[in-house]
Amino acid sequence: MSDWLVLVLAMAGACAVVVVITLVRQRTASEDEDPSETPDVIEYMTMWIGVIYAIVLGLAIAGVWEARSAAQDHVQAEAQALHEISERVRVYPPEVRDRVRADVDAYVEYVVHTEWRRMADEQQVTERGGELLGRVRADVTDYRPGNDFEAQAYQPLLDQMAAADQARNARADSTGVTMPPVVWWGLITGGLITIGMVFALQIRRTGRELVLAGLFSATIAFMLFLIWDFDAPYSRGIAVTAEPFLTMFPGAGG
């Protein structure tokens, strides 16, 4: 099922629940019930519950968005480091240079076409990807510079290799979900309480109030969907892509 279809169904479901409950209350309410006689303390509590829940939603969205941005930065850093390695080895002898570039290309192609699907489906990287990167590391570290010019390029290559390895490890750590289950229970429960307080205010007098209550519930459903969608950076609708690898290594897209 498409993530956008899930969003539409969630928002429509929230609106439908509000409408159904309101209509049921209208039919079952006693004739002498006066909706305008809502105690002030209930209005005060509803206001503060809404404010507190809005703050919690904002913090949750900020947290998952930051995690997604960090995941995108890890991919960019890894691609950039590998690109630097591929470019800087031009000072090495042709056989060494070609071997390093071939192993870098093999690693990038594997990440783009195989490992990325594994990250999306199972939220983890593969051992094969680590082996291919280890091959690149061996190519870089095992070579002995033959002159001063090659020696000057050796240490920067080691630094870029370390940066690529660090970025890969960070990418592996960010494949999972960000929000722990207890936070999700809090968000869902808080949403139900917030919507429930709308009915405590006896919103059933006019069609305008009914529409506003439905839109309020749909907005909460939309915010929860955004948090859920951003929660797994590599595997849901607005996911981190392998675009940095494809930009740095156009041949990997074939």
Side-chain angles (χ1 to χ4, degrees):
M1 182 181 295
S2 171
D3 291 344
W4 296 110
L5 180 58
V6 172
L7 171 60
V8 172
L9 292 177
M11 295 179 66
C15 293
V17 169
V18 171
V19 172
V20 169
I21 293 178
T22 302
L23 293 177
V24 170
R25 288 186 70 249
Q26 284 181 339
R27 293 189 176 185
T28 59
S30 59
E31 295 181 358
D32 59 347
E33 182 179 352
D34 186 2
S36 64
E37 294 182 354
T38 300
D40 292 339
V41 65
I42 294 182
E43 295 183 0
Y44 183 78
M45 290 173 60
T46 301
M47 178 188 68
W48 276 105
I49 289 174
V51 170
I52 293 173
Y53 188 65
I55 294 174
V56 173
L57 277 179
L59 292 175
I61 290 177
V64 293
W65 177 257
E66 182 179 357
R68 183 192 180 281
S69 299
Q72 186 69 65
D73 292 340
H74 299 329
V75 176
Q76 180 67 40
E78 184 179 4
Q80 183 64 45
L82 292 171
H83 178 71
E84 288 295 324
I85 292 174
S86 185
E87 292 297 321
R88 289 173 182 266
V89 294
R90 68 180 184 275
V91 302
Y92 282 6
E95 64 276 8
V96 178
R97 177 192 63 208
D98 294 343
R99 183 173 67 250
V100 172
R101 288 179 173 175
D103 288 340
V104 169
D105 291 342
Y107 171 74
V108 171
E109 186 173 356
Y110 177 81
V111 168
V112 171
H113 295 290
T114 303
E115 190 169 63
W116 212 265
R117 289 196 298 270
R118 178 75 171 272
M119 291 165 57
D121 296 338
E122 303 180 17
Q123 298 181 354
Q124 62 181 357
V125 297
T126 64
E127 294 183 1
R128 177 59 178 169
E131 293 173 358
L132 292 175
L133 187 62
R135 185 181 302 173
V136 178
R137 183 188 298 107
D139 293 339
V140 173
T141 58
D142 293 352
Y143 177 70
R144 292 186 178 183
N147 52 52
D148 292 341
F149 187 47
E150 293 180 1
Q152 291 175 3
Y154 182 73
Q155 186 58 49
L157 279 169
L158 293 182
D159 294 340
Q160 294 298 327
M161 189 66 245
D165 187 59
Q166 183 178 7
R168 175 181 170 80
N169 291 333
R171 174 164 61 86
D173 292 338
S174 62
T175 54
V177 296
T178 304
M179 306 290 288
V182 65
V183 176
W184 274 113
W185 278 108
L187 290 173
I188 295 173
T189 303
L192 294 175
I193 293 174
T194 303
I195 296 174
M197 293 302 293
V198 172
F199 298 106
L201 287 174
Q202 302 181 23
I203 302 296
R204 66 178 183 84
R205 289 167 289 186
T206 65
R208 180 175 58 184
E209 290 176 336
L210 183 60
V211 170
L212 290 176
L215 292 176
F216 176 73
S217 303
T219 300
I220 291 179
F222 174 71
M223 301 295 282
L224 291 176
F225 169 81
L226 283 183
I227 297 172
W228 173 82
D229 197 67
F230 290 147
D231 193 28
Y234 297 98
S235 58
R236 290 178 184 155
I238 311 176
V240 176
T241 67
E243 186 63 28
F245 286 106
L246 298 175
T247 302
M248 302 288 181
F249 302 91

